[in-house]
Amino acid sequence: MRVFHCSNCQQLVFFENSVCIKCGHTLAFLPDVGVMSSLEMGDEGWKSPRSQTLYRLCENYTKENICNWAVQAADPNPLCISCRLTQVIPDITTHRQAWHRLEVAKRRLLYSLMDLGCPVEERSGDPPRGLSFQFLEESESQEATPVLTGHSDGVITVNIAEADEVERERRRCELHESYRTLLGHFRHEIGHYYWDRLIRDGARIDAFRESFGDERRNYNEALQQHYGGGPPEDWQQRFVSAYASSHPWEDWAESWAHYLHMTDTLEIATDCGLSLRPRRPDEPKLDPVRRPHRAQSFDNLIENWFSLTYVLNNLSRGLGLPDSYPFVLSSPAIEKLRFVHETIEATD
């Protein structure tokens, strides 16, 4: 994620803002040019100093105050490219806040995907490879099927209970997880989607199996074994998380999500101008890289990442909080992240 400024008054603004608090201009994210911008209403539509294109605001912006993205005026779809991917929303009379939180996390996910050059197509326009989201509420009926957050053939389902911070923390503790966030769910599930698109029928499948294992292993049995007996004792020496040890598909999805954590956090850190210039040569250093995920090499990216997490965790401890980055990356886990990096770099 980059640092953004109001294009009218240059006030610092954030990706989630819809109004500049300094000059009062309407703000919107312009996905076609990848920037937040102030907008001026003209005779034919909204105008931005960042683009020659005419825009209108997403219908979920004007009617629901849920979105802050713009749509090109020539586009007949009333929804922005993020909102149109959501096929099912919760009952907004009782779950408006949950819907808002889910859409905020999804927009940040899509920003990263577009910035990385990953293909994103609507399911309505490209059904065999298209993407869609369903935000579902669990029924209180004992006979009802539980809503599981997951992915199936391009459809990503998220249980809206995950948007409740108290409930999500309860589940995190129950499952003995060190990390559980809405954005993390989106990044993990989209990893399954891209395994189908980029790995399953492609030239990298053999390399995938060499690094992650054979995904043809029975998936349901693997999950039952994981939840019944727990992860192997040495999982930290081979995987990015305990859940990654359950099956090669989950190992890939956890590694994919982790890579998005890294690139998004590194980009905002370096775009803020953060650098580390230690007094001793054996301490972590960080050189600002404008586009950290497109650095000279994966080795450069991971070196910067280790330096940044050193700072993040020390700052958190200074505030009396748990580590912001509760992970330890082993050499095999790093090589899996390298595989994700190379897969994305090879994406057309």
Side-chain angles (χ1 to χ4, degrees), residues 175-179 226 229-246 251 254 258 326-334 336:
L175 295 171
H176 307 290
E177 297 174 343
S178 59
Y179 174 92
H226 173 78
E233 292 185 0
D234 66 341
W235 70 264
Q236 288 182 311
Q237 300 175 27
R238 296 183 286 139
F239 302 95
V240 71
S241 69
Y243 188 54
S245 68
S246 62
D251 195 5
E254 286 286 270
H258 212 88
F327 301 93
V328 177
L329 296 180
S330 63
S331 294
I334 291 171
K336 293 170 186 176

Side-chain angles (χ1 to χ4, degrees), residues 67-235:
C67 181
N68 70 336
W69 281 25
V71 189
Q72 292 188 21
D75 189 335
N77 197 312
L79 299 177
C80 71
I81 62 173
S82 175
C83 287
R84 68 185 66 171
L85 293 176
T86 306
Q87 289 189 332
V88 180
I89 66 171
D91 181 354
I92 61 174
T93 60
T94 53
H95 298 295
R96 173 175 288 274
Q97 186 178 59
W99 180 31
H100 179 261
R101 289 175 176 173
L102 288 160
E103 293 291 354
V104 167
K106 177 163 68 74
R107 288 194 293 272
R108 186 169 282 264
L109 168 73
L110 292 177
Y111 170 91
S112 295
L113 297 177
M114 292 186 294
D115 196 45
L116 289 167
C118 297
V120 178
E121 284 99 10
E122 297 177 61
R123 193 162 184 79
S124 60
D126 188 6
R129 301 193 304 168
L131 174 66
S132 68
F133 295 83
Q134 298 182 350
F135 303 147
L136 303 181
E137 178 184 7
E138 206 159 61
S139 172
E140 296 181 358
S141 170
Q142 293 184 348
E143 293 78 23
T145 302
V147 174
L148 300 178
T149 295
H151 165 267
S152 178
D153 295 326
V155 179
I156 291 176
T157 300
V158 181
N159 187 332
I160 66 168
E162 294 290 344
D164 183 296
E165 295 178 354
V166 174
E167 174 60 20
R168 191 172 63 251
E169 177 64 11
R170 184 194 69 78
R171 296 183 183 200
R172 186 191 69 80
C173 294
E174 185 178 85
L175 295 171
H176 307 290
E177 297 174 343
S178 59
Y179 174 92
R180 190 181 183 94
T181 68
L182 266 185
L183 185 54
H185 280 310
F186 279 104
R187 287 173 171 167
H188 174 96
E189 299 306 336
I190 204 72
H192 288 298
Y193 170 73
Y194 282 112
W195 190 89
D196 286 349
R197 286 208 58 168
L198 305 178
I199 302 295
R200 183 180 61 189
D201 300 319
R204 296 181 65 79
I205 186 63
D206 291 335
F208 169 85
R209 289 170 181 162
E210 184 176 338
S211 182
F212 291 84
D214 193 337
E215 84 289 350
R216 292 169 293 189
R217 171 189 172 198
N218 188 287
Y219 180 69
N220 291 328
E221 289 181 2
L223 289 189
Q224 289 177 5
Q225 181 178 346
H226 173 78
Y227 286 119
E233 292 185 0
D234 66 341
W235 70 264

Side-chain angles (χ1 to χ4, degrees), residues 286-343:
L286 176 65
D287 295 321
V289 178
R290 181 71 183 92
R291 310 289 279 186
H293 49 282
R294 295 182 185 151
Q296 293 182 355
S297 67
F298 174 79
D299 292 328
N300 186 22
L301 186 150
I302 199 71
E303 181 180 356
N304 283 334
W305 180 240
F306 285 145
S307 297
L308 181 58
T309 57
Y310 156 79
V311 173
L312 286 174
N313 286 346
N314 271 313
L315 291 173
S316 295
R317 294 179 187 189
L319 292 170
L321 298 172
D323 285 352
S324 298
Y325 184 72
F327 301 93
V328 177
L329 296 180
S330 63
S331 294
I334 291 171
E335 289 308 304
K336 293 170 186 176
L337 291 169
R338 185 191 303 276
F339 184 91
V340 174
H341 175 83
E342 292 173 349
T343 300

